Amino acid sequence: MEMKRESQTTPSSELQMQSVCLALFEAAAEGLVVINSKGLIVLVNQRMAELLGYASHELIGETIEKFVPKRYEHAHHQHRDQYFEAPSRRSMGYGRDLTALRSDGSEFAVEVSLNHFEVEGETFVMALISDITQRKNAERELESLNQELERRVAERTSQIAESQRLYAIIARNFPNGSIMVFDRAFNYIFTEGRELYRMGVTGEELVGTNYLDRLTPKAREIIQPRLLEVFGGQNVNFDIEVDDRHYELNAVPLQDTDGKISQILVVETNVTQQKRVEHNMVKALEKERQLNELKSRFVSMASHEFRTPLSTILTSLSLANRYHGLGNEENLQKHYGRIRSSVHILTAILNDFLSLDKLESGMIGSNPELLNLKVLIDDLVDEQQDMCKQGQSITFAFEGEEMVTTDQNMLRNIVVNLISNAIKYSNENSRVEVTATVKDNRALVQVRDHGIGIPEADQRHIFERFFRANNSTNIQGTGLGLNIVKKYLNLLGGDIWFESTPMVGTVFSFVIPQNLVV
Ligand code: ADP
């Protein structure tokens, strides 16, 4: 083949150039093929033959379509004709993937550059063909990696969106409290929870505002330093009471990726209800404990206090039996009297306990009725004469309006307790003076004795349950009477006090409203 060139070279140097060209053609690292206008291969280099899997000489004279996969053959034919009509230097199949067919029927990806030249008026086309299988594979791999990456990103994004939705729902429904995230200036970054709705605000409204500004000065004083500890890396838990509401705060630091704490998470729970239940439970337990203690103390006290009157009853009974029929009426009456007063003592102890038990368990309420105070106290004084020691007497003086409205049973109990104490804690031949005055809508009752008195040091304990003064341990008693009297007076809207000097005597005074209204 002779190529047309405009050349100044001599024939021998032209020959030389031709062989240089052929050598270059042969040595090229890419496949090179030259076809004529009929599409027949006129020249092919070694690399091209290798790529297609033939020996070079097998390719000469073949149509170029022999190396184009069947499905493109027709289109290729047309493109080739069009190219020969208007040849230009360009790449082939712009924007499409090109493949070539090997001798074994397999295909491989190629990139084709086209060029043309004329030799003696005939147009030839030279195609430079590169095997781009590896590049294509790498591209494909990259693409599939990209797709996988995109798929994962999409999956992760939807997971994040889903978990954010979940977190928001969980946080919004956080019962009896709120979840808050603050920055270092205590501005809300995030907040949700039922407590916000109770307070009539939404999380969106709070974000960007300052948490501390919403606190009362007292709450701020407690909360701010504790939350500052959290910015210092501590987890803190504490309780706080604001306007009768109790809150429990749990706060933890939130670390950035570089380990710095620029935000904290605070979970605030309204525990008012629990605290109330807890408080009531503690109160109920304490009451229960006191009742149990009262009962067990009563049992030990009763077993001691019952012994004397019971043995008096037994002795007096057996002596009365002996005197019976012997005509010694005076001795008989003396023993009957002892039995009677021992039974009184036992009844009084039991009554005290029953009253206290009822009072402690809140079963007693006052039941006011209109009564004549003068007549009532007079009767009680009469009844108590029985209990007097040798030579003791009780006097009674009344002044003012006689009719009062109060609870009769409670009033009786109070008066009887005070008179029987006055008798008990004074000696034979002494006087007990009872006075009552009703004026200015109040009734004042006083019981004075000239007895052993109450030691100074014991006076402040005298209304405590089971308390007995130092100087009275040899005298029968339970330490319950005055405690009950005080409780009754509370229920009657009254008050009680006393003055006492040891070895001189004692005056107990109480007031009640003339007309008790319940
Ligand atoms: P009790 O008389 O059964 O012991 P109280 O509760 O009636 O129980 O009285 C408590 C204590 O107060 C008595 O044990 C006694 O020490 C003292 N006390 C009460 N009244 C008098 C009184 N009039 N004089 C002296 N001490 C009294």
Side-chain angles (χ1 to χ4, degrees):
M1 180 172 63
E2 218 177 309
M3 295 188 190
K4 185 186 171 191
R5 278 179 198 281
E6 285 182 28
S7 164
Q8 303 295 312
T9 49
T10 59
S12 69
S13 63
E14 204 166 285
L15 267 172
Q16 245 178 346
M17 277 310 293
Q18 264 184 18
S19 41
V20 168
C21 281
L22 271 172
L24 278 175
F25 189 82
E26 268 311 321
E30 313 297 333
L32 288 168
V33 59
V34 178
I35 58 167
N36 63 14
S37 55
K38 295 190 189 77
L40 299 176
I41 295 173
V42 294
L43 193 64
V44 68
N45 74 349
Q46 183 57 33
R47 175 67 184 144
M48 189 70 229
E50 273 169 19
L51 284 176
L52 295 174
Y54 292 93
S56 301
H57 68 270
E58 289 177 301
L59 297 174
I60 303 296
E62 292 291 344
T63 63
I64 190 70
E65 275 78 26
K66 180 172 175 154
F67 311 104
V68 172
K70 272 268 172 289
R71 55 190 184 283
Y72 304 129
E73 195 180 320
H74 181 68
H76 189 270
H77 208 289
Q78 281 180 341
H79 285 142
R80 174 161 58 76
D81 287 348
Q82 282 162 11
Y83 186 84
F84 271 99
E85 272 166 33
S88 67
R89 183 191 167 129
R90 64 171 170 85
S91 307
M92 186 179 141
Y94 182 76
R96 278 182 289 130
D97 284 345
L98 301 177
T99 46
L101 194 63
R102 286 202 192 88
S103 61
D104 61 5
S106 62
E107 294 176 17
F108 62 105
V110 289
E111 199 172 67
V112 181
S113 299
L114 299 175
N115 209 342
H116 67 283
F117 52 86
E118 274 183 25
V119 177
E120 293 168 359
E122 187 177 352
T123 303
F124 292 89
V125 172
M126 182 172 81
L128 188 134
I129 294 164
S130 316
D131 178 354
I132 57 163
T133 309
Q134 267 181 358
R135 201 179 81 198
K136 278 283 165 198
N137 284 347
E139 269 175 21
R140 260 196 291 277
E141 212 167 296
L142 206 67
E143 196 175 337
S144 91
L145 273 178
N146 255 344
Q147 277 170 0
E148 174 63 14
L149 210 65
E150 270 168 25
R151 192 188 61 75
R152 281 205 210 160
V153 168
E155 194 179 29
R156 194 80 193 97
T157 312
S158 91
Q159 277 172 358
I160 289 170
E162 176 62 9
S163 54
Q164 266 179 349
R165 194 180 67 84
L166 269 177
Y167 293 149
I169 292 174
I170 293 168
R172 197 164 301 146
N173 287 293
F174 184 74
N176 301 326
S178 54
I179 297 172
M180 305 170 277
V181 177
F182 300 129
D183 63 14
R184 281 190 164 268
F186 293 101
N187 291 321
Y188 284 97
I189 303 291
F190 169 84
T191 180
E192 273 299 354
R194 289 262 179 90
E195 184 73 0
L196 301 185
Y197 295 92
R198 199 190 60 72
M199 296 190 297
V201 280
T202 65
E204 286 87 12
E205 280 165 10
L206 289 179
V207 167
T209 66
N210 197 278
Y211 171 63
L212 299 179
D213 291 348
R214 305 189 70 241
L215 301 176
T216 62
K218 203 178 125 221
R220 185 183 175 139
E221 210 174 287
I222 300 168
I223 294 176
Q224 189 173 12
R226 299 307 314 269
L227 294 188
L228 282 173
E229 286 174 38
V230 185
F231 280 111
Q234 303 279 321
N235 288 2
V236 303
N237 301 317
F238 60 98
D239 282 4
I240 176 161
E241 195 187 333
V242 186
D243 304 336
D244 282 348
R245 287 196 303 275
H246 285 264
Y247 292 94
E248 199 176 271
L249 270 83
N250 296 300
V252 290
L254 298 176
Q255 290 195 336
D256 299 346
T257 38
D258 55 3
K260 272 196 281 176
I261 300 164
S262 50
Q263 293 177 353
I264 59 169
L265 170 73
V266 181
V267 178
E268 190 183 85
T269 319
N270 185 338
V271 290
T272 314
Q273 196 61 25
Q274 286 105 295
K275 285 273 175 198
R276 232 171 255 160
V277 171
E278 223 173 87
H279 181 72
N280 289 345
M281 253 165 65
V282 168
K283 255 171 65 181
L285 274 174
E286 177 59 16
K287 186 129 215 133
E288 185 71 26
R289 197 190 60 73
Q290 281 179 3
L291 270 176
N292 281 340
E293 187 200 283
L294 170 70
K295 283 173 187 166
S296 59
R297 284 191 71 171
F298 179 77
V299 169
S300 61
M301 182 270 301
S303 58
H304 183 253
E305 292 301 321
F306 276 33
R307 215 173 286 154
T308 320
L310 282 175
S311 64
T312 308
I313 291 171
L314 277 178
T315 320
S316 289
L317 261 179
S318 76
L319 286 173
N321 262 342
R322 257 193 250 169
Y323 292 124
H324 192 69
L326 292 179
N328 196 341
E329 192 61 22
E330 199 186 325
N331 266 343
L332 210 57
Q333 283 309 323
K334 191 176 83 188
H335 288 295
Y336 284 151
R338 280 187 189 159
I339 293 172
R340 222 182 358 258
S341 71
S342 295
V343 171
H344 269 305
I345 291 170
L346 290 176
T347 315
I349 294 174
L350 283 173
N351 278 344
D352 274 1
F353 179 71
L354 290 176
S355 311
L356 193 61
D357 191 44
K358 276 190 200 154
L359 278 166
E360 288 290 326
S361 46
M363 276 161 60
I364 275 188
S366 58
N367 195 7
E369 59 183 295
L370 187 65
L371 53 91
N372 187 313
L373 183 65
K374 186 178 174 212
V375 172
L376 184 130
I377 298 179
D378 226 12
D379 287 351
L380 293 177
V381 166
D382 265 0
E383 273 174 33
Q384 292 298 307
Q385 301 286 0
D386 254 10
M387 307 296 294
C388 281
K389 292 174 189 153
Q390 186 75 40
Q392 269 185 335
S393 62
I394 313 173
T395 61
F396 174 47
F398 187 88
E399 208 185 308
E401 293 169 46
E402 296 180 7
M403 299 310 287
V404 299
T405 304
T406 194
D407 185 302
Q408 188 171 169
N409 282 335
M410 290 188 200
L411 183 62
R412 274 175 171 276
N413 203 301
I414 295 165
V415 176
V416 167
N417 246 297
L418 296 182
I419 297 179
S420 66
N421 275 354
I423 295 170
K424 216 164 48 168
Y425 297 111
S426 47
N427 296 324
E428 293 177 352
N429 305 314
S430 66
R431 214 175 50 221
V432 172
E433 295 145 297
V434 182
T435 59
T437 314
V438 179
K439 83 168 182 210
D440 301 337
N441 294 321
R442 296 181 341 150
L444 168 70
V445 181
Q446 293 187 299
V447 179
R448 178 187 300 271
D449 66 52
H450 304 276
I452 61 169
I454 303 166
E456 173 91 45
D458 292 338
Q459 290 191 3
R460 63 199 173 99
H461 298 293
I462 221 72
F463 293 106
E464 289 171 17
R465 208 159 58 194
F466 293 108
F467 184 83
R468 307 207 64 217
N470 238 337
N471 57 347
S472 60
T473 40
N474 291 330
I475 303 166
Q476 179 279 325
T478 61
L480 290 176
L482 286 180
N483 184 260
I484 292 168
V485 164
K486 193 163 173 66
K487 286 196 165 107
Y488 278 151
L489 278 165
N490 272 343
L491 290 171
L492 296 184
D495 200 6
I496 183 166
W497 65 96
F498 67 92
E499 278 167 54
S500 183
T501 312
M503 307 306 291
V504 175
T506 306
V507 189
F508 272 92
S509 312
F510 73 87
V511 282
I512 50 168
Q514 188 183 358
N515 293 302
L516 175 64
V517 186
V518 282

